[in-house]
Amino acid sequence: MANTTLSYETVAIFNTKNGDEAVAALVEKFKTLISENGTIDSEADWGKRKLAYPIQDETEGYYYVVNFTAAPEFPAELDRVYKITDGVLRSLIVANEQ
């Protein structure tokens, strides 16, 4: 069976209360994780933005967006890592239509 890769987009919102260094470390962690398991097509740091509603009593978050291609099994692992990582307020992974 051929190696199948699909196109995905993920958005993560990181907690800013621990400072810019902690946010940069989280961005680097997820960038490395994605590039080790797939190919990053594009990425965008949307920066610090006001949240529409408080999440865990935070009113501000740092947005990071990545478009990548990976095996169909990887998004589940990425989601698991998002959920167990301190400093991640919210995350979303969607498959892009081909």
Side-chain angles (χ1 to χ4, degrees), residues 40-76:
I40 294 178
D41 300 325
S42 66
E43 63 180 317
D45 283 329
W46 287 0
K48 201 181 289 190
R49 295 178 180 230
K50 183 170 172 35
L51 301 174
Y53 56 89
I55 302 172
Q56 300 172 8
D57 294 327
E58 297 297 323
T59 58
E60 215 173 44
Y62 187 92
Y63 286 71
Y64 179 62
V65 180
V66 180
N67 288 296
F68 65 98
T69 55
E73 302 82 29
F74 176 64

Side-chain angles (χ1 to χ4, degrees), residues 24 30 32 36-37 48 54-55 64 66 80 87 91 93:
F30 287 105
T32 302
E36 287 175 351
N37 292 284
K48 201 181 289 190
I55 302 172
Y64 179 62
V66 180
R80 183 188 74 79
S91 63
I93 304 168

